[in-house]
Amino acid sequence: MQIVFWILIFLGTFFIMEFNAWFTHKYIMHGFLWSLHKDHHHKDHDSWFERNDAFFIFYAIVSITCFYLWSYEDVWFTLPIGLGILAYGIAYFVVHDIFIHQRFKMFRNIDNKYARGLRRAHKIHHKHLGKHKGENFGMLIVPFKYFK
């Protein structure tokens, strides 16, 4: 029975992370931490790394803390939470950094309705170079109008 809860917690965490990514992107990255995120919209440096990459560190720390609590404090449900956060982080990296922004030259030829919708929504998000007037702050779930 515990495996059922484990799977539900893992999947729930993964899906909650999409909302968390949307909220963080809209209200924190485009809010009081715009100074870390703005180089993602307007590249003002020659480095492959962006200040925006610092946001990965926060979620990595949360995930690692969950692994610690599971491993050393015997809090069983923190393992599926930590793995759900890690899985979302991997999905985010693959979809956002590799597929959409081509930081690694992979997945260039993926062409299906979902992939086109993701790219369109992200392109609309990036047309706004400033902190305000943005739209499409989610990553895996975007409005249906971009899939038409």
Side-chain angles (χ1 to χ4, degrees), residues 53-115:
D53 294 333
F55 291 105
F56 282 116
I57 296 168
F58 172 76
Y59 290 108
I61 290 170
V62 173
S63 186
I64 290 166
T65 301
C66 289
F67 297 144
Y68 171 84
L69 291 171
W70 167 72
S71 182
Y72 294 104
E73 304 296 330
D74 201 30
V75 184
W76 73 268
F77 60 86
T78 59
L79 178 61
I81 291 171
L83 289 172
I85 294 168
L86 173 64
Y88 187 85
I90 291 168
Y92 187 96
F93 180 74
V94 169
V95 171
H96 181 263
D97 288 339
I98 297 177
F99 174 66
I100 293 174
H101 287 290
Q102 291 290 303
R103 286 178 82 174
F104 296 98
K105 305 305 179 202
M106 300 166 56
F107 309 127
R108 288 178 162 188
N109 298 324
I110 295 176
D111 188 29
N112 60 53
K113 193 173 186 175
Y114 180 68

Side-chain angles (χ1 to χ4, degrees), residues 9-99:
I9 292 169
F10 170 82
L11 292 173
T13 300
F14 185 90
F15 290 111
I16 287 169
M17 285 300 296
E18 175 66 12
F19 169 76
N20 197 23
W22 171 86
F23 181 88
T24 302
H25 191 184
K26 183 170 184 166
Y27 295 108
I28 296 175
M29 293 177 173
H30 282 258
F32 68 94
L33 287 180
W34 174 250
S35 61
L36 291 177
H37 185 61
K38 70 179 174 182
D39 70 337
H40 182 64
H41 284 264
H42 183 67
K43 197 164 173 86
D44 61 355
H45 56 84
D46 292 328
S47 174
W48 184 83
F49 289 102
E50 299 174 346
R51 290 180 295 276
N52 183 64
D53 294 333
F55 291 105
F56 282 116
I57 296 168
F58 172 76
Y59 290 108
I61 290 170
V62 173
S63 186
I64 290 166
T65 301
C66 289
F67 297 144
Y68 171 84
L69 291 171
W70 167 72
S71 182
Y72 294 104
E73 304 296 330
D74 201 30
V75 184
W76 73 268
F77 60 86
T78 59
L79 178 61
I81 291 171
L83 289 172
I85 294 168
L86 173 64
Y88 187 85
I90 291 168
Y92 187 96
F93 180 74
V94 169
V95 171
H96 181 263
D97 288 339
I98 297 177
F99 174 66

